[in-house]
Amino acid sequence: MELEEFEQGRLIVSVPTRFLKSWIETHYVSKLHKISEAELGRHDTIHVRVRMRGGVPQRAALPDEHAQQAAPQAGAAPQPQPPAIAQAQAVATADRGPQLDPNQNFETFVVGSSNQLAHAAMCRVADAAPGAAVSFNPLFVHAGSGLGKTHLLSAVAHRVREKRPDRRVMFLTAERFMINFVMALRQRDTLAFKDQFAAADVLLIDDFQFLQGKTMQQEFCNAFNGLVDSRRQVIVAADVPPAQLDSIDQRMRSRLMGGLVVDIDMPDIETRRRILQSRYETMQKRDPSVIIPGEVLEFIANRVTGTGRELEGAMNRIAAYQQFNNAAVTLDLASLVLRDMQASPDGSRIKIDDIQKIVGRHFNVGRTDLLSPRRARSVVVPRQIGMYLAKKMTARSLPEIGRRFGGRDHSTVLHAVRKIEDQIKTDDRLAREVALLIRLVEQG
């Protein structure tokens, strides 16, 4: 809500949609009147209006500001908008989507055997010459969380904007796509929504597995088909391959499989070393006082066999411990700080099925009950512990874990993980039980 005008006993505020206008007028007019009188002084009426789409209203001057604002000279011409601002607004209109992380580019992406194909495909797309045939369309990249999907999407956007500033890049998540569509429906302006996609030269969609709803999927399918058929580039990233997108329409899955589908695997030891070295160099540029010996970086690479985020998180923990305790970083200190990050030399062998069997045997609950909709406490607790272990001990995404536990939603898995994490902190018996189960799973 923006304050647009306040004078002669009349207060005018504006909101971006008719829905908000109606809701405020129905539920909050009296409260708004009371609060605004306390802030601005007595007034008789309040008007709520819908501001023009794309308009950013000028904030109205408050009563005590009128004396500080000098009136413009009579007959003075309005000041033209600075060219830099006009250009920035034009770019913002062309490139819809989230603010890109300037550090997520091809130069900072560590290439290894686990991600080499995905990196090469992204580079080919980003470096395509003007007028050249589209190499891979669509390009579908799938991997677990923290393995570099978003980094590569951002890198493509940066490279295209740098080399081909005339090309219109649209980068957004599936969630943002759904939010924008709902807003367009409320404003009764779906044509403008469709036009945004029709005008894109490169469309980048992240977290595609979260696209829900028949109408949403149909709308995306229309935009997708229009871009692909007109030979404009579409890149999609998700946690699972197209064939495993159970919530997506079969025709859409078929179109996605019609392009190039590549995956990113867990980094091997050599890639983990290079990731740690790269992150350490970046850390030292920010704070030269951080000193982590090479033998400690090697210890982290061998101890933490997960994603790049986990490697960076482990290094950050050691650096923080050094600074907060003013202690030199040694192997003993690193081992102490990372004591809860167990190495798993053969981590790929840990399967969700194994976790379900061990948890079921420990709690005397059948696997069928773990996957069933039963809500008895004797079943719910083991099920939540199983989801927690699957998230902590495998590289599987929340949606995939949910599907493996009876077709549950990713939010159900997230709730279970957070609940077990919270209970472990206060329930020693549960903490010991979970620790035992972790050892049993690791031992196979």
Side-chain angles (χ1 to χ4, degrees):
M1 182 188 297
E2 297 284 350
L3 173 61
E4 289 201 345
E5 185 178 328
F6 177 66
E7 60 182 6
Q8 298 179 352
R10 184 179 65 166
L11 172 67
I12 298 178
V13 296
S14 69
V15 292
T17 67
R18 282 188 289 268
F19 171 80
L20 286 175
K21 176 180 183 296
S22 174
W23 188 265
I24 290 169
E25 288 178 337
T26 304
H27 296 86
Y28 291 110
V29 165
S30 59
K31 189 169 186 178
L32 178 61
H33 193 279
K34 180 179 179 181
I35 293 173
S36 58
E37 279 199 339
E39 293 287 336
L40 307 175
R42 181 173 177 78
H43 49 273
D44 301 321
T45 59
I46 293 180
H47 295 286
V48 182
R49 65 170 58 153
V50 180
R51 55 179 171 264
M52 293 181 60
R53 188 178 305 110
V56 181
Q58 192 74 20
R59 187 179 69 83
L62 300 180
D64 59 347
E65 292 176 333
H66 281 295
Q68 302 176 17
Q69 295 180 350
Q73 296 181 0
Q79 293 295 320
Q81 192 177 43
I85 296 178
Q87 182 180 5
Q89 290 181 347
V91 172
T93 302
D95 292 338
R96 307 295 180 96
Q99 185 71 28
L100 295 176
D101 185 343
N103 296 318
Q104 291 187 335
N105 50 56
F106 284 120
E107 288 69 29
T108 59
F109 187 83
V110 179
V111 183
S113 59
S114 60
N115 56 29
Q116 190 171 9
L117 179 58
H119 177 265
M122 290 286 195
C123 286
R124 171 76 68 85
V125 168
D127 295 332
V134 178
S135 301
F136 316 115
N137 207 19
L139 173 57
F140 190 100
V141 181
H142 65 92
S145 178
L147 291 176
K149 303 186 302 295
T150 303
H151 191 141
L152 284 175
L153 290 177
S154 299
V156 170
H158 283 304
R159 180 71 64 84
V160 173
R161 292 176 182 180
E162 175 187 349
K163 291 192 170 184
R164 301 275 307 279
D166 58 308
R167 300 189 75 186
R168 288 161 293 192
V169 180
M170 180 180 287
F171 178 20
L172 69 166
T173 63
E175 181 185 23
R176 175 51 57 183
F177 175 89
M178 293 188 289
I179 291 173
N180 289 351
F181 182 61
V182 170
M183 291 178 62
L185 287 176
R186 288 176 176 173
Q187 297 176 5
R188 298 182 181 179
D189 195 14
T190 55
L191 287 178
F193 176 80
K194 298 173 189 289
D195 289 344
Q196 291 178 20
F197 290 89
D201 294 305
V202 180
L203 174 63
L204 308 165
I205 297 288
D206 200 7
D207 292 327
F208 186 71
Q209 71 276 1
F210 293 133
L211 187 65
Q212 302 289 333
K214 184 176 180 180
T215 304
M216 297 287 182
Q217 293 182 22
Q218 184 61 48
E219 197 62 38
F220 177 82
C221 188
N222 293 337
F224 174 90
N225 290 335
L227 291 174
V228 173
D229 292 343
S230 59
R231 297 185 179 280
R232 280 175 283 179
Q233 185 67 57
V234 178
I235 306 177
V236 179
D239 284 356
V240 294
Q244 296 181 23
L245 291 169
D246 299 334
S247 62
I248 303 298
D249 180 76
Q250 174 59 39
R251 290 175 299 174
M252 188 70 241
R253 279 183 279 169
S254 178
R255 288 301 302 264
L256 292 171
M257 288 187 283
L260 176 64
V261 179
V262 296
D263 71 323
I264 302 176
D265 206 348
M266 298 292 284
D268 57 18
I269 181 65
E270 186 57 38
T271 305
R272 295 200 297 273
R273 289 175 180 139
R274 292 205 298 269
I275 290 173
L276 285 168
Q277 188 61 41
S278 173
R279 301 297 187 268
Y280 177 53
E281 291 171 0
T282 302
M283 181 182 291
Q284 275 212 311
K285 289 178 182 177
R286 293 197 307 262
D287 186 358
S289 67
V290 176
I291 305 296
I292 301 179
E295 60 181 6
V296 173
L297 294 178
E298 179 68 18
F299 171 80
I300 299 173
N302 284 276
R303 181 67 171 261
V304 182
T305 58
T307 67
R309 286 180 189 160
E310 294 173 11
L311 290 166
E312 187 172 8
M315 189 171 62
N316 288 336
R317 288 169 66 174
I318 291 175
Y321 195 93
Q322 173 203 10
Q323 292 183 337
F324 295 154
N325 294 277
N326 195 26
V329 175
T330 63
L331 282 175
D332 289 341
L333 183 142
S335 179
L336 173 66
V337 174
L338 304 181
R339 60 186 179 277
D340 62 333
M341 302 183 74
Q342 297 293 332
S344 180
D346 190 19
S348 60
R349 71 179 177 84
I350 296 180
K351 303 291 190 294
I352 293 179
D353 287 343
D354 299 332
I355 292 174
Q356 290 171 343
K357 290 177 184 177
I358 291 172
V359 169
R361 189 164 59 237
H362 179 79
F363 288 101
N364 196 25
V365 176
R367 185 171 181 273
T368 304
D369 289 327
L370 286 177
L371 308 187
S372 73
R374 286 187 60 195
R375 302 295 301 165
R377 177 174 173 78
S378 60
V379 175
V380 170
V381 174
R383 183 189 297 139
Q384 290 177 335
I385 292 176
M387 292 179 181
Y388 169 82
L389 295 177
K391 180 67 179 70
K392 295 299 181 183
M393 303 185 72
T394 74
R396 303 306 178 188
S397 65
L398 294 178
E400 186 172 356
I401 294 172
R403 286 193 293 271
R404 300 291 295 277
F405 275 85
R408 287 172 166 78
D409 187 77
H410 74 279
S411 60
T412 303
V413 181
L414 182 60
H415 170 74
V417 171
R418 289 177 174 172
K419 184 172 182 179
I420 297 301
E421 283 178 344
D422 291 340
Q423 290 182 344
I424 285 175
K425 297 174 184 177
T426 57
D427 189 337
D428 291 339
R429 181 174 177 275
L430 178 63
R432 290 194 298 270
E433 227 166 7
V434 170
L436 172 61
L437 287 168
I438 290 175
R439 288 196 296 273
L440 292 174
V441 171
E442 288 177 342
Q443 293 168 5

